[in-house]
Amino acid sequence: MKLVLYNLFPDRLNLYGDRGNVIVLQKRCEWRGIQLEVVDIKSPDCLDFSRVDLIFIGGGSDREQGLVTKELLKIKHEFKACIDDGVGCLAICGGYQLLGNYYVTSDGTPIMGLDVCDFYSEAQKNRMVGNVVIYTPDSGQLVGFENHSGRTFHRYEPLGKVIKGYGNNGEDGWEGLCYKNLIGSYLHGPLLPKNPLLADRIIGAALDRKYGKKDLLPLDDRLEFEAHSIAEEICLRTSV
């Protein structure tokens, strides 16, 4: 079995080691005998949505986010059709924000979004920074790190309920967004190394779409869960 992952603009969108998410997906596929071809996309001209199974979009500064969005606006309709067709996507922080209608920077500058989903984000002066623990119904508790001035507001299914931290906006108690096989989240760290169940959820959904229901072989995740437990303990015993 083979899956193809497009890593969008990794030279611009790679805050806080976000590329580690791609490495995790690649290794967890490899350990199961699944080939995951990772293609670094640095121009929309290189995008062939007919062959992609997974898309990763990392976080970036407001400047980098604006530059990338201008490039992706050239293929916004194809991108949305791809997501609507069930192609898997993990979008982190700035990558999450650019999938909405618009993002307003801290100086009031609007950045057009890709309109993949109907939501918006607005930056405020006070940043939301710290370790995060959230509860998800499908992947248990997730741990990560957030550092964002943007507040995101939407009516989609959230990724999870905030136990500790700020989440989407520091107000409604939710973190992230789920739409079909798209997952948006503010959790850096990177997210997937300490949350193997979420990584497998993403892989499993891509396999289901391409090959039908496939059971993933279990892996020895003792180190991953130990890292998860330590991060969770540290987060829960510190104040926001």
Side-chain angles (χ1 to χ4, degrees):
M1 292 184 291
K2 177 180 178 180
L3 297 173
V4 176
L5 182 149
Y6 284 173
N7 186 12
L8 300 191
F9 299 93
D11 54 333
R12 297 179 181 178
L13 302 178
N14 186 30
L15 283 180
Y16 308 109
D18 283 336
R19 189 180 178 90
N21 294 304
V22 175
I23 295 172
V24 167
L25 293 172
Q26 193 170 32
K27 296 303 292 185
R28 292 185 74 82
C29 282
E30 176 186 325
W31 293 334
R32 293 179 166 109
I34 302 165
Q35 181 184 356
L36 179 63
E37 178 186 351
V38 176
V39 182
D40 288 346
I41 301 294
K42 299 181 180 180
S43 167
D45 298 332
C46 302
L47 286 167
D48 178 5
F49 288 117
S50 67
R51 67 185 299 264
V52 66
D53 303 299
L54 288 168
I55 297 171
F56 176 72
I57 316 174
S61 66
D62 286 352
R63 177 182 179 276
E64 299 295 341
Q65 184 177 335
L67 292 172
V68 167
T69 303
K70 286 182 180 178
E71 290 294 302
L72 291 178
L73 282 171
K74 299 173 185 176
I75 45 87
K76 63 176 291 185
H77 299 297
E78 296 88 341
F79 195 106
K80 177 173 174 53
C82 177
I83 298 301
D84 286 342
D85 192 42
V87 169
C89 179
L90 176 62
I92 302 295
C93 200
Y96 171 24
Q97 294 168 346
L98 67 82
L99 297 180
N101 307 125
Y102 63 87
Y103 169 68
V104 180
T105 66
S106 56
D107 65 3
T109 302
I111 298 176
M112 291 181 61
L114 298 180
D115 291 323
V116 172
C117 292
D118 183 16
F119 70 89
Y120 68 94
S121 304
E122 295 179 334
Q124 297 183 7
K125 292 183 178 180
N126 295 327
R127 299 189 68 83
M128 295 184 284
V129 183
N131 295 316
V132 188
V133 177
I134 70 172
Y135 170 76
T136 74
D138 297 320
S139 306
Q141 291 191 179
L142 304 180
V143 295
F145 173 78
E146 61 184 339
N147 183 352
H148 55 105
S149 60
R151 271 72 168 163
T152 293
F153 299 89
H154 67 75
R155 296 182 179 179
Y156 294 87
E157 176 188 352
L159 175 60
K161 178 71 174 176
V162 176
I163 297 174
K164 193 69 174 289
Y166 297 97
N168 283 329
N169 49 57
E171 298 176 16
D172 59 22
W174 299 108
E175 207 292 314
L177 175 153
C178 295
Y179 170 69
K180 298 197 173 184
N181 288 326
L182 162 68
I183 295 174
S185 175
Y186 275 113
L187 272 60
H188 289 287
L191 171 61
L192 296 183
K194 298 184 292 293
N195 299 290
L197 296 181
L198 180 61
D200 284 353
R201 170 181 166 182
I202 293 169
I203 295 169
L207 291 174
D208 287 352
R209 177 179 177 274
K210 189 169 187 177
Y211 296 105
K213 184 65 177 177
K214 298 290 181 183
D215 293 327
L216 293 178
L217 295 175
L219 299 175
D220 182 356
D221 288 327
R222 284 175 292 179
L223 289 177
E224 287 84 349
F225 285 125
E226 182 177 355
H228 179 284
S229 296
I230 292 172
E232 182 178 357
E233 180 183 355
I234 291 172
C235 179
L236 293 178
R237 74 184 183 203
T238 56
S239 59
V240 175

